[in-house]
Amino acid sequence: MAIFITKPVTCPKCAQNSDTAVMISANTAEDADVRQKIFDETIFRWKCKKCGFSTRYQHPFLYNDIDRKFMIYLIPHVARPKVVDQKLEDEFTDMRDVRKRIVPDINSLKEKIAVFERGIDDMALELTKLAVSDVVTKETGHNVYAGYYTDMDEEKNSISFQFFVGGDKRSYIQTTRLEVYKRSRDIVKRYFPKENRKMGFLNIGMSWARSALEKYKSSGSGIDK
Ligand SMILES: [Zn+2]
């Protein structure tokens, strides 16, 4: 069953305080439409009862896909590399087989779900994304603000990302060959084999990819071998 808590929310438009029921966790086995509610953001919509103002309300949310064995914990703006929730570890005793991730925002939650559903290794994906984002920075002359996986096509031998670049966060689609992902997967298997079985929820995003790449480089292996 989905778990709700009541939270006082102040309307940013009319300043009215109201208690709001917020869904803080759900699993796909008991709530078949929870995935849809994340992708259309129903779970994160908030509407003022007084003035009708509606906005995106980003709040903590735990997504549990029991069949595919992954849990993704949205903790808004989380920057820590890992979060250990002892209560959760105690509650789900067989959690060591489950991939557990924390994400800092709704877009990353959607991305992580799509990535795990497609059977993609998210660590290899983040290494690929980092390499591709460097290409985007070179091509556009702007820094990459954020980037998300959009599609993998085995027939076309390609993997695609949507980046947001520059001060105005313009959308920029960049595709690369699957070999880049496959090579990244080999690196993960060889140099980070135990990361996946650790206790706690890992933050596997671009910061992780940057430090992983540093570790890999300092291990004495050239990235282009
Ligand atoms: Zn209002």
Side-chain angles (χ1 to χ4, degrees), residues 163-225:
F163 291 97
F164 294 95
V165 300
D168 55 352
K169 297 173 189 170
R170 216 164 353 110
S171 171
Y172 191 96
I173 305 288
Q174 181 74 39
T175 297
T176 193
R177 288 170 300 114
L178 269 184
E179 280 79 7
V180 181
Y181 166 72
K182 285 173 184 164
R183 205 169 58 204
S184 300
R185 205 175 47 189
D186 290 342
I187 292 170
V188 169
K189 268 187 196 150
R190 196 161 162 205
Y191 294 93
F192 307 99
K194 290 191 194 98
E195 293 262 12
N196 257 327
R197 278 171 248 139
K198 276 186 187 164
M199 196 179 185
F201 288 71
L202 299 181
N203 192 345
I204 306 297
M206 281 176 103
S207 303
W208 175 86
R210 268 188 215 101
S211 65
L213 193 61
E214 285 306 312
K215 257 191 243 172
Y216 171 66
K217 279 179 178 166
S218 64
S219 71
S221 318
I223 192 83
D224 291 314
K225 251 183 218 169

Side-chain angles (χ1 to χ4, degrees), residues 11-16 46 48-53:
C11 176
K13 207 178 168 198
C14 74
Q16 171 78 22
W46 178 85
C48 176
K49 285 166 195 151
K50 192 183 173 200
C51 75
F53 178 74

